[in-house]
Amino acid sequence: MIRFDIKKRDGLARAGAITGDELPDQHMPFPAVFDTEALFPTLAVRGCTNVPLAAPPEFTKAYVPAGVGQPVIVHPALENAAVNGDVVMAANWHTAFTNPRKYVTWLKMLKNITPPDTLWYAPAAALPSTVHILCYSGFSIFDYTGVDLKSTQDVFCTPEGEFPADAQKGGICGCEGCRNGDLKLHNRLALNHEAGLVRYFIGQSKLRELVESRCRMNANHVSIMRHLDTDYEWLEPHTAVARSGVMRVNSAESMQRVEVRRFAERLLARYRPPNATVAVLLPCSAKKPYSLSQSHRRFQMAIAGRAHELIITSPLGLVPRELECVYPAMHYDVPVTGYWDAEECAYISDVVSRYFSVHKYDRVIAHLEGGALKVAEMAAERCGITLEYSSRENLSGDAALARLSQALDRERRVKDDRLHGMLSYQFGCEVDTKGMLLRGHFPELFYTKNNQQVFSIDTGSGLLRPTFDGWNLIPEGYRVTISDFIPEGDVLAPGIENADPAIREGDEVLVMGAKAYATGKAAMSAAEMKGSKRGVAVRVRKIKKL
């Protein structure tokens, strides 16, 4: 009997461990390459397991057997036959690579009908050059069939692609197979190495960065990634609200990744700015958060709190000063060339123009130069606002800063209420922050009311962590309902009765039960909480018995 434990999620990808009597090692990590004859001994004698993915429903239903054990066959033309805890197999998945649009269509169809806590097997599909995109698509189990076939065809397999066997003599690889002239051994080791590398990147929440770099050698892989990005509404619930470390935005496709688009969508749909009549548009800085850079310190001194500060940046578009520490505003790294291409300008100007269409100011001052200034002018023309210019070059110079300060001479100070903006962005609701005080020292900051802590700031993600008193101030949303028990540690998926559909992995949530309340961080999305029968749903920070 095969059992598995999902320990890490990164988008559609999963990492964890498989256990079972059939395994040589009783506790094997995945994604990985397995001897599937040992893992699924009955698979070799099962018929009709290779029905083409494009086969029509009547043909598929007539030939694909049902209820014959693990792995359970899934097919775009079949209704779901899998249950929680099953290993599912998508036969002939290697043929989908030639049609990226169909690849994504079939993938979404299968993911939509299959329970979330299943493990996915792609037979004969894995090569060192395809493992990254297969894992990005949600597959976790692979076999040696593909690379063994390449070996019989005298093909040398690498993560960068497949080459004639003579390439093995070129010093490209120093593995045991290459040292001994054993092509089959090299191909197997290369596949194992790439699966291990992908597993490591999933563990670091950086699979997207690996995929963006790996897929450059195959146009179909780029197309698959782009087609997935295009359906933001489908992919967004599968993506955590924050990742660990730096989000590297090094390609054009990075502009379309879920974290970038989600920031803009929440900014436009949720965020509530302070009561200000003047906005100042500022450039971004390499240092994050922006306030720690020398240039922004000088900008803030010149503005002196008399306007709402908005930073124009690629790829996020627009970052209000209140959100500069919130993921991904403090966590992205982008190549700096001074040149913004047409796609960047179009996307960012759209975000800026939509913001000013929703939030009105009497005056908008542009303290910008280069690409940021061009974007601001495009946005202003689109939404019909008039820009004032304080400077168009040497923005942190004394003369430019003096003009910026002079432009604000008659303006009153704007109430600094970063908490209000952060709460609206994170929880999508209005919270009365009157009487709340900021305490601590950066980055260990927290808010109190009546000498009681209500919120602290997560130093990793910049998101707010409500205490029980803080949750009392948030009127609705981000609640998880559990059955009649007192949690002893983390809350597991089987104990979940209901969850707010807005919850994503990494969100702060309030767990509510008849016997206890708990605060913590969601370890999976609301849909997974309700559809899974195993795994940690909420990592609990504090429990309050009723």
Side-chain angles (χ1 to χ4, degrees):
M1 178 65 180
I2 299 299
R3 298 173 298 278
F4 59 88
D5 179 23
I6 297 173
K7 297 181 179 180
K8 182 67 177 181
R9 292 167 170 79
D10 189 1
L12 296 172
R14 301 289 183 265
I18 295 178
T19 59
D21 297 335
E22 300 87 349
L23 299 173
D25 186 337
Q26 295 297 305
H27 193 80
M28 299 185 69
F30 66 82
V33 189
F34 295 88
D35 177 4
T36 48
E37 290 184 3
L39 200 63
F40 308 117
T42 64
L43 190 57
V45 296
R46 286 164 58 181
C48 299
T49 59
N50 63 338
V51 173
L53 291 166
E58 57 273 13
F59 179 90
T60 307
K61 292 176 182 177
Y63 285 95
V64 174
V68 290
Q70 300 290 313
V72 176
I73 297 175
V74 291
H75 190 281
L78 293 176
E79 295 180 358
N80 172 55
V83 298
N84 303 89
D86 277 345
V87 176
V88 300
M89 181 179 78
N92 285 305
W93 195 258
H94 62 285
T95 64
F97 284 118
T98 59
N99 191 331
R101 189 181 298 276
K102 278 289 188 183
Y103 180 107
V104 173
T105 299
W106 287 331
L107 180 69
K108 291 192 295 186
M109 289 172 64
L110 294 177
K111 288 288 183 182
N112 287 343
I113 64 174
T114 308
D117 54 345
T118 49
L119 206 59
W120 286 56
Y121 168 38
L127 300 174
S129 61
T130 63
V131 169
H132 68 276
I133 199 70
L134 286 168
C135 290
Y136 188 71
S137 304
F139 290 93
S140 301
I141 297 180
F142 311 106
D143 55 37
Y144 293 107
T145 305
V147 288
D148 286 351
L149 179 60
K150 293 295 183 183
S151 298
T152 64
Q153 298 169 340
D154 289 330
V155 175
F156 180 68
C157 298
T158 73
E160 292 74 28
E162 292 72 52
F163 305 99
D166 288 347
Q168 188 177 18
K169 303 174 183 178
I172 296 173
C173 175
C175 74
E176 181 184 351
C178 289
R179 292 196 303 270
N180 297 328
D182 188 336
L183 181 62
K184 179 178 179 180
L185 179 59
H186 159 79
N187 285 345
R188 285 193 165 207
L189 290 175
L191 180 57
N192 286 336
H193 176 271
E194 189 67 7
L197 182 68
V198 170
R199 187 168 63 244
Y200 175 80
F201 271 76
I202 294 172
Q204 299 297 308
S205 299
K206 294 188 180 299
L207 181 59
R208 173 64 184 226
E209 282 80 355
L210 179 66
V211 171
E212 287 188 11
S213 65
R214 285 283 194 248
C215 72
R216 296 297 158 201
M217 302 299 293
N218 190 303
N220 286 336
H221 297 173
V222 176
S223 296
I224 289 168
M225 181 175 62
R226 289 178 177 175
H227 281 302
L228 281 170
D229 285 344
T230 298
D231 196 344
Y232 168 79
E233 297 296 333
W234 184 81
L235 194 58
E236 188 273 333
H238 297 282
T239 308
V241 295
R243 300 171 186 259
S244 59
V246 177
M247 183 182 76
R248 304 195 182 280
V249 187
N250 294 332
S251 72
E253 286 79 21
S254 299
M255 298 285 295
Q256 298 302 317
R257 61 187 291 173
V258 166
E259 297 97 321
V260 172
R261 294 190 58 186
R262 179 194 281 144
F263 185 87
E265 293 302 321
R266 292 191 173 187
L267 173 73
L268 298 168
R270 295 184 173 191
Y271 169 72
R272 296 295 178 266
N275 186 20
T277 59
V278 183
V280 175
L281 299 177
L282 299 169
C284 64
S285 66
K287 195 165 190 175
K288 310 293 188 306
Y290 310 121
S291 292
L292 298 183
S293 69
Q294 185 176 1
S295 61
H296 274 256
R297 287 176 178 174
R298 303 199 74 188
F299 296 155
Q300 288 181 296
M301 289 178 64
I303 295 170
R306 294 171 290 175
H308 186 209
E309 300 173 30
L310 300 168
I311 296 94
I312 290 185
T313 180
S314 176
L316 300 182
L318 195 68
V319 179
R321 181 67 74 186
E322 304 94 294
L323 302 182
E324 66 175 346
C325 292
V326 175
Y327 186 91
M330 192 176 71
H331 308 78
Y332 72 95
D333 187 21
V334 61
V336 178
T337 62
Y339 170 75
W340 289 16
D341 62 32
E343 274 191 48
E344 280 182 290
C345 291
Y347 176 78
I348 298 168
S349 64
D350 177 65
V351 173
V352 176
S353 65
R354 288 167 65 193
Y355 177 87
F356 283 116
S357 296
V358 174
H359 304 296
K360 306 296 184 181
Y361 298 83
D362 294 341
R363 302 171 62 199
V364 179
I365 300 172
H367 194 74
L368 301 167
E369 61 185 348
L373 178 60
K374 177 182 177 181
V375 163
E377 291 175 336
M378 291 171 61
E381 182 178 356
R382 181 178 299 182
C383 65
I385 64 172
T386 301
L387 292 179
E388 301 177 28
Y389 299 91
S390 55
S391 184
R392 305 188 195 202
E393 59 183 4
N394 192 20
L395 302 179
S396 57
D398 291 341
L401 294 173
R403 288 193 294 271
L404 177 58
S405 178
Q406 186 178 8
L408 297 169
D409 272 349
R410 298 183 180 181
E411 301 297 337
R412 296 181 178 180
R413 289 184 64 87
V414 178
K415 181 184 177 183
D416 183 8
D417 192 358
R418 293 196 177 199
L419 180 60
H420 181 268
M422 293 169 67
L423 285 167
S424 64
Y425 172 87
Q426 184 173 340
F427 296 105
C429 63
E430 287 282 352
V431 176
D432 183 5
T433 58
K434 185 177 181 180
M436 295 187 191
L437 300 176
L438 177 63
R439 299 182 183 276
H441 299 281
F442 182 84
E444 302 287 344
L445 300 173
F446 60 95
Y447 288 88
T448 63
K449 185 173 184 179
N450 298 326
N451 292 323
Q452 295 294 319
Q453 182 174 319
V454 287
F455 302 101
S456 61
I457 297 178
D458 187 315
T459 56
S461 66
L463 295 173
L464 293 165
R465 297 183 300 192
T467 64
F468 290 115
D469 289 330
W471 279 111
N472 289 334
L473 301 172
I474 299 173
E476 59 184 4
Y478 292 89
R479 267 70 168 176
V480 175
T481 306
I482 60 174
S483 51
D484 189 12
F485 69 94
I486 298 175
E488 295 183 2
D490 296 334
V491 176
L492 304 181
I496 302 294
E497 290 189 339
N498 203 359
D500 179 5
I503 293 172
R504 305 289 179 259
E505 180 190 352
D507 271 323
E508 292 294 325
V509 297
L510 175 64
V511 179
M512 305 171 62
K515 294 183 177 179
Y517 279 11
T519 63
K521 183 176 292 187
M524 56 178 69
S525 69
E528 285 189 276
M529 289 182 188
K530 292 186 284 187
S532 298
K533 298 299 182 184
R534 60 182 63 205
V536 175
V538 180
R539 302 202 179 277
V540 171
R541 188 165 53 251
K542 194 169 184 180
I543 297 172
K544 179 181 180 181
K545 297 180 181 179
L546 299 179

